[in-house]
Amino acid sequence: MVRSIAEQNYWLTTVEMPSIDSGNALPEMVDVAVIGAGFTGLSAARTLAKRGARVALLEGETVGWGASSRNGGMVLTGMKLGVSKVIKKYGRELTRRMYAASLASIDCVEQIVREERIDCNFARCGHLEVACKQSHFAGYTRQAELIEVEFNHKLQVVPKQELSEEIGSSIYYGGMVDEASAGLNPARYVAGLARATARSGAAIFEHARVNSIERDSRQGEIGWKVTTSRGQLWTHEVFVGTSGYTGEATPELRKKIIPIGSFIITTEVLPKALAHELSPHNRMIYDSKNYLYYYRLTPDGRMLFGGRAAFFPESDQTIRRSAELLRRGMISVYPLLRDARIEYVWGGTLDFAFDIMPHAGQMDGMYFAVGYAGHGVAMATYQGQKVAEMMAGDKPDNPFVDIPFPGAPLNVYNGKPWFLPFAGAWYKVLDWVR
Ligand SMILES: Cc1cc2nc3c(=O)[nH]c(=O)nc-3n(C[C@H](O)[C@H](O)[C@H](O)COP(=O)(O)OP(=O)(O)OC[C@H]3O[C@@H](n4cnc5c(N)ncnc54)[C@H](O)[C@@H]3O)c2cc1C
């Protein structure tokens, strides 16, 4: 049973979120209005302001309130969709560019952390994927070979008999390590990124929910009238970085995004020897199921254990239910944690496109970047920067721009994900049979 648990995001107890809203009224006119102050919006606003644009960053809640402060802090190589599927869909050349972008996205985070001196425990500790079935493990060798041949990137396949060097659990059939991945404290990272964005000259407005965006011309120039809960402004360009929280202000984008809940528990601080036994190299770990678990040690030595315990976005009910489900999941992986106290549980919403790919570019005349599917710590930072560079006039150099961005089959989705229980059940079935 889960006892004495705080329904609270553990990461937020490790940082003071910056208060960088001047409290001023919105400016009458800007070059770019950026919507959403998570990794995507902050990174875009920082890049644009550094290039000399007048930027207003409009956040409906507070800086970092969305997935960016709530995630597992895993800074991962690759994409959610396996590379062989990506090659089948887009061909070798485009997939090579996509994979290279995934590696560049980690360098991008590392560079920002260094340049802006963000104290967020960034470390290239590598990730470990563990196989829940023999057939999944058999796929690892093929995948590692493909990635080495196609992308010149080396992964290390770990057979079951050597897996104890990587993880203190005996339930898996083997693993695959990628040393290029990293870990960080996401709340400290987003707080530092917000401070850096403010230093770059972007004006940040919290509790400024964008309610509507309309085409508008002013003194012969075409732009946008943006109406928020704090007033109106006029802008030449709009950049949307609202991810899993995309709402009615951008209805076309909303129809292309499935908001999926993900939940996390953390234990009390573990004895050092136990923490080392569970994860000797402090990897970012996830398993091979569709309905997957992801887990890692926090910098202060707790086990952080997450998963799609419920598919629906976070609410008091889904968060409470997740605590017990995740605890059971954690003990099935690590029986040694049977008596560890669970101290925190929280949830957040991530964004999946129907094709499980990241997408960026322009829609209805507005710029956007979305669809990170659980790989957003690195990719959201990177896409925010890349799309901003494109807006500033650089030649587009981004493989996720302008790839087809499919909506729901038969156009049966209006942005309210009624099908999530069915999708969740379907993925559970797939995990049994495959
Ligand atoms: C529990 C959980 C665990 C995860 N773990 C990982 C992980 O380990 N590794 C990884 O790579 N990814 C992970 N992810 C995904 C990752 O956190 C996201 O992909 C990433 O944070 C997306 O950043 P973002 O800036 O695009 O969106 P968000 O951080 O969600 O920010 C969007 C912001 O837009 C604002 N907004 C929405 N509508 C409006 C409006 N109309 N007006 C003004 N503001 C608005 C919201 O308030 C919100 O602050 C996880 C996600 C969750 C929920």
Side-chain angles (χ1 to χ4, degrees), residues 29 36 45 49 66 73 83 94 101 111 131 178 210 223 250 270 279 291 348 367 379:
M29 185 178 146
V83 286
L94 190 51
Q111 195 185 345
D178 190 333
V210 172
T250 50
L270 302 172
S279 181
Y291 227 92
Y367 291 88
M379 197 48 94

Side-chain angles (χ1 to χ4, degrees), residues 105-398:
S105 69
I106 302 180
D107 296 342
C108 168
V109 172
E110 187 170 32
Q111 195 185 345
I112 292 175
V113 166
R114 204 176 34 231
E115 252 177 51
E116 304 288 1
R117 297 171 195 272
I118 302 177
D119 177 13
C120 63
N121 309 99
F122 179 94
R124 291 265 188 176
C125 46
H127 83 242
L128 167 70
E129 180 176 342
V130 279
C132 298
K133 294 186 178 177
Q134 185 59 42
S135 58
H136 297 179
F137 180 66
Y140 286 175
T141 308
R142 287 195 299 274
Q143 204 179 321
E145 278 170 9
L146 184 67
I147 288 173
E148 188 163 2
V149 170
E150 294 293 338
F151 317 130
N152 196 23
H153 183 71
K154 206 160 173 47
L155 304 183
Q156 184 198 337
V157 175
V158 187
K160 185 170 177 66
Q161 60 275 20
E162 290 168 24
L163 200 58
S164 60
E165 287 167 29
E166 286 291 342
I167 183 171
S169 170
S170 56
I171 67 167
Y172 297 112
Y173 291 80
M176 186 161 61
V177 170
D178 190 333
E179 299 277 1
S181 291
L184 51 65
N185 174 329
R188 282 172 165 259
Y189 174 51
V190 78
L193 188 58
R195 286 191 187 95
T197 303
R199 279 196 302 272
S200 74
I204 299 178
F205 299 92
E206 296 180 312
H207 304 292
R209 177 159 302 280
V210 172
N211 294 322
S212 70
I213 309 166
E214 293 162 67
R215 267 290 180 208
D216 193 35
S217 66
R218 193 173 196 173
Q219 291 155 3
E221 280 192 86
I222 303 286
W224 303 91
K225 186 169 78 182
V226 178
T227 306
T228 81
S229 49
R230 269 177 74 170
Q232 253 178 23
L233 58 73
W234 192 91
T235 177
H236 288 275
E237 303 288 0
V238 172
F239 178 104
V240 186
T242 48
S243 217
Y245 297 92
T246 301
E248 281 162 16
T250 50
E252 286 312 305
L253 190 60
R254 188 187 188 199
K255 277 197 244 169
K256 303 240 176 176
I257 294 169
I258 317 168
I260 291 191
S262 192
F263 301 85
I264 294 178
I265 52 174
T266 58
T267 64
E268 62 192 318
V269 174
L270 302 172
K272 273 205 169 73
L274 174 59
H276 182 77
E277 188 176 347
L278 302 178
S279 181
H281 303 293
N282 216 350
R283 305 271 194 221
M284 305 291 113
I285 307 176
Y286 58 88
D287 71 34
S288 60
K289 294 193 300 294
N290 289 301
Y291 227 92
L292 56 75
Y293 291 134
Y294 52 91
Y295 44 99
R296 58 171 289 185
L297 296 169
T298 58
D300 66 350
R302 300 163 190 270
M303 175 55 64
L304 176 153
F305 196 90
R308 311 241 148 85
F311 250 60
F312 272 119
E314 69 278 13
S315 66
D316 287 353
Q317 212 188 357
T318 50
I319 290 175
R320 252 194 313 276
R321 209 150 36 96
S322 298
E324 186 53 39
L325 289 172
L326 286 174
R327 180 179 164 274
R328 274 189 239 148
M330 181 180 77
I331 292 169
S332 72
V333 175
Y334 289 126
L336 284 174
L337 290 179
R338 180 169 302 281
D339 296 324
R341 201 169 61 240
I342 307 298
E343 291 194 342
Y344 297 93
V345 59
W346 70 97
T349 301
L350 34 87
D351 56 330
F352 275 66
F354 282 87
D355 61 358
I356 320 182
M357 290 295 292
H359 292 276
Q362 267 186 294
M363 185 184 292
D364 293 340
M366 291 177 251
Y367 291 88
F368 73 93
V370 291
Y372 311 116
H375 275 53
V377 176
M379 197 48 94
T381 306
Y382 185 70
Q383 287 301 328
Q385 182 174 313
K386 287 313 250 186
V387 175
E389 286 169 357
M390 187 169 99
M391 293 171 77
D394 290 2
K395 201 166 148 266
D397 164 27
N398 183 348

